[in-house]
């Protein structure tokens, strides 16, 4: 999802990477999964914070398999970090397993860390049964970039008049594109399908909390996306549609808010951003998630260090414009309401309440299994390599088996 970036780590910490906190009583050990360029921006913000000479400086440790390492240290009770970033969909299961401490004392220490100072869905994605377990950093979402030159070439700039491109508008391009040009790619195709589930009023869990994959809404969503591929309007299976967009052969690319930074580096790519395509311009969603600050359960974390964590999070709340450079939708309203934030492509998603409301964060306990199932089978169904009925049954069983495996 992000370009790989290997962070230089002190030698003393390398041999015990993540299995030790790599910090001490005067340092906040901070774990993140930010293995892309976003890790560089986080490093820069932490350097700025440490330069203010806080009582507790922050030490940033990055790893690609952070969740596995978290379970390792939680099971051993040794090397637990003082602070960590996790994704919104991990919160319910972590809380259920007793892995997170509430943020109650942190919020009490810094009143700026209240809900009214953040994007609502980002803040509340960390609230379980009325208890706040997280403080948000951002929302990162599916986005649809468009090639302005190609829109002009084919005379379809009007597709963007209402900021929503519909299935019918995409299908109207059938037979009208030159060889080698495509209407849309299949980047993050599972995220696109999840957006359609919300557009259709469906969900990925039933009223009892069981996974709901083999549903009429999921079938309709996949059939609709497959219709675009069947019309020859989607980049071919196995081709890198993301790079094809950057090469100027695709009108719309359904990748992520964070990739705006990569698109900006392509010479001659005249692009903009809009919402993921939808059935109707009045009902649209963009599948999203959130990076959330959390406290893993740790009896050794002192009250003084917890106050130091609160100081760090409050500083970030008012000093995270740098995070916008990573292509993230900053959760702090003090940042995204600042006029200088408008220079960033992703500011499109906070320019009005309707756009903010389009950002849909899944917090279903078993969402990671649902996402894995879609990532495994969705592309094959969309491109006709797997029968949809068979694929839906397979995905439903896949998720149910994963849940049973976890319970056992």
């Amino acid at each position: 999802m992000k370009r790989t970036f290997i962070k230089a780590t002190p030698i003393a910490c390398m041999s015990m990477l993540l299995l030790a906190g790599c910090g001490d009583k005067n340092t906040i050990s901070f774990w993140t999964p930010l293995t892309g360029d976003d890790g560089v921006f986080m490093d820069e913000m932490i350097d700025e914070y440490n330069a203010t000479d806080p009582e507790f400086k922050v030490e940033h440790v990055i790893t690609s398999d952070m969740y596995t390492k978290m379970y390792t240290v939680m099971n051993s009770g040794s090397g637990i970090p003082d602070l960590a970033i996790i994704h919104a969909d991990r919160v319910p299961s972590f809380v259920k397993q007793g892995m997170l401490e509430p943020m109650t004392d942190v919020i009490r220490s810094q009143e700026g860390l209240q809900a009214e100072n953040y994007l609502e869905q980002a803040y509340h994605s960390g609230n379980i049964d009325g208890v706040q377990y997280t403080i948000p950093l951002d929302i990162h979402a599916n986005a649809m970039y468009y090639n302005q030159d190609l829109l002009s070439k084919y005379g379809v700039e009007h597709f963007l008049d209402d900021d929503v491109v519909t299935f019918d508008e995409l299908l109207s391009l059938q037979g009208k594109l030159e060889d080698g040009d495509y209407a849309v790619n299949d980047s993050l195709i599972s995220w696109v399908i999840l957006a359609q589930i919300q557009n259709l009023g469906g969900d990925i869990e039933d009223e009892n909390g069981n996974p709901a994959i083999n549903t009429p809404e999921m079938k309709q969503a996949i059939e609709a996306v497959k219709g675009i591929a069947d019309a020859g309007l989607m980049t071919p299976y196995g081709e890198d549609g993301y790079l094809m967009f950057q090469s100027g052969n695709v009108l719309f690319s359904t990748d992520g808010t964070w990739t705006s930074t990569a698109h900006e580096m392509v010479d001659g790519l005249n692009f903009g951003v809009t919402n993921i395509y939808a059935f109707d311009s009045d009902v649209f969603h963009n599948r999203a998630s959130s990076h959330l600050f959390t406290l893993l359960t740790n009896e050794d974390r002192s009250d003084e260090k917890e106050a130091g964590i609160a100081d760090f999070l409050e500083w970030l709340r008012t000093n995270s414009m740098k995070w916008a450079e990573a292509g993230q939708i900053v959760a702090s309203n003090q940042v995204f309401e600042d006029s200088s934030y408008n220079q960033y492509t992703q500011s499109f998603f906070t320019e009005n309440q309707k756009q903010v409301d389009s950002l849909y964060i899944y917090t279903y306990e078993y969402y990671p299994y649902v996402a894995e199932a879609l990532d495994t089978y969705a592309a094959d169904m969309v491109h006709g390599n797997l029968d949809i009925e068979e694929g839906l049954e397979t995905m439903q069983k896949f998720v149910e088996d994963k849940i049973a495996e976890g319970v056992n």
Side-chain angles (χ1 to χ4, degrees):
M1 198 166 75
K2 302 180 178 72
R3 293 173 292 164
T4 300
F5 178 86
I6 306 301
K7 180 180 183 291
T9 311
I11 294 175
C13 194
M14 282 288 285
S15 62
M16 296 295 288
L17 182 61
L18 297 184
L19 296 181
C22 299
D24 55 42
K25 64 179 182 179
N26 297 315
T27 302
I28 295 169
S29 57
F30 175 40
W31 290 10
T32 79
L34 304 174
T35 56
D37 290 348
D38 46 9
V40 181
F41 291 108
M42 179 58 70
D43 280 340
E44 292 178 7
M45 291 194 296
I46 289 172
D47 287 344
E48 286 183 36
Y49 177 72
N50 287 339
T52 67
D53 196 27
E55 180 179 358
F56 294 89
K57 292 193 174 182
V58 178
E59 183 177 52
H60 185 203
V61 181
I62 303 173
T63 183
S64 59
D65 57 348
M66 185 188 71
Y67 292 119
T68 300
K69 297 288 176 59
M70 281 182 169
Y71 282 111
T72 298
V73 297
M74 292 299 289
N75 285 330
S76 69
S78 175
I80 300 171
D82 300 307
L83 180 67
I85 278 179
I86 66 173
H87 293 90
D89 56 76
R90 296 281 178 162
V91 176
S93 62
F94 274 32
V95 170
K96 186 175 182 179
Q97 296 172 77
M99 292 176 61
L100 297 185
E101 293 183 6
M103 281 284 185
T104 307
D105 290 339
V106 169
I107 296 170
R108 186 180 294 121
S109 179
Q110 288 286 352
E111 293 186 357
L113 302 177
Q114 300 282 347
E116 60 265 24
N117 293 325
Y118 294 92
L119 287 168
E120 180 179 4
Q121 60 267 62
Y123 198 90
H124 289 292
S125 65
N127 191 289
I128 305 294
D129 296 329
V131 179
Q132 190 67 32
Y133 287 92
T134 68
I135 299 296
L137 172 63
D138 65 32
I139 289 179
H140 45 284
N142 205 184
M144 192 162 78
Y145 298 94
Y146 57 85
N147 184 312
Q148 185 63 58
D149 295 331
L150 286 181
L151 292 181
S152 177
K153 174 181 176 179
Y154 292 111
V156 292
E157 298 100 323
H158 63 279
F159 283 6
L160 301 176
D161 286 351
D162 52 12
D163 292 324
V164 180
V165 179
T166 66
F167 279 94
D168 287 341
E169 286 172 331
L170 288 175
L171 290 170
S172 73
L173 292 169
Q174 186 173 7
K176 298 179 181 178
L177 304 182
E178 294 181 3
D179 287 345
D181 284 350
Y182 297 90
V184 67
N185 60 20
D186 59 358
S187 294
L188 295 182
I189 196 66
S190 60
W191 289 28
V192 172
I193 291 169
L194 286 167
Q196 308 314 326
I197 297 300
Q198 296 307 311
N199 292 340
L200 292 167
D203 207 338
I204 57 173
E205 62 177 309
D206 65 20
E207 63 275 8
N208 298 314
N210 299 313
I213 314 304
N214 190 0
T215 64
E217 292 85 4
M218 181 71 78
K219 182 181 180 182
Q220 184 177 347
I222 295 173
E223 285 178 339
V225 178
K226 183 177 184 297
I228 296 173
D230 289 345
L233 295 169
M234 183 174 287
T235 52
Y237 188 51
E239 296 287 335
D240 194 330
Y242 173 85
L243 291 180
M244 292 176 71
F245 174 76
Q246 291 190 334
S247 298
N249 297 111
V250 179
L251 276 75
F252 300 104
S253 178
T254 57
D255 46 274
T257 52
W258 59 91
T259 54
S260 61
T261 58
H263 293 330
E264 288 166 358
M265 296 173 64
V266 179
D267 289 338
L269 182 61
N270 182 16
F271 76 95
V273 72
T274 190
N275 299 287
I276 295 300
Y277 52 88
F279 294 98
D280 189 295
S281 58
D282 292 328
V283 181
F284 61 95
H285 293 84
N286 301 288
R287 181 275 186 200
S289 187
S290 180
H291 288 121
L292 304 170
F293 294 104
T294 58
L295 303 176
L296 293 179
T297 302
N298 183 5
E299 294 180 358
D300 295 331
R301 187 186 298 109
S302 67
D303 292 342
E304 291 78 13
K305 184 170 284 191
E306 201 161 287
I309 290 170
D311 292 343
F312 174 54
L313 298 184
E314 173 63 10
W315 184 89
L316 281 175
R317 184 182 71 82
T318 58
N319 292 276
S320 53
M321 187 66 74
K322 171 69 67 175
W323 196 237
E325 294 182 33
Q328 310 289 1
I329 303 169
V330 179
S332 168
N333 60 12
Q334 184 161 329
V335 176
F336 72 76
E337 290 176 357
D338 188 314
S339 60
S340 61
Y341 182 73
N342 295 333
Q343 67 184 291
Y344 300 105
T345 305
Q346 69 273 19
S347 64
F348 169 81
F349 294 100
T350 52
E351 66 182 18
N352 57 57
Q353 191 59 46
K354 192 170 184 178
Q355 282 301 147
V356 171
D357 291 342
S358 78
L359 302 171
Y360 189 87
I361 298 177
Y362 281 95
T363 56
Y364 176 42
E365 178 181 356
Y366 300 117
Y367 172 83
Y369 299 149
V370 176
E372 185 179 356
L374 278 167
D375 289 343
T376 303
Y377 298 105
D380 281 319
M381 287 185 283
V382 166
H383 289 284
N385 298 323
L386 175 64
D387 177 74
I388 293 178
E389 294 281 2
E390 179 185 350
L392 291 173
E393 292 175 3
T394 301
M395 288 196 299
Q396 181 73 36
K397 186 175 187 304
F398 179 97
V399 176
E400 291 173 350
D401 287 349
K402 286 283 187 179
I403 294 172
E405 180 183 334
V407 170
N408 292 332

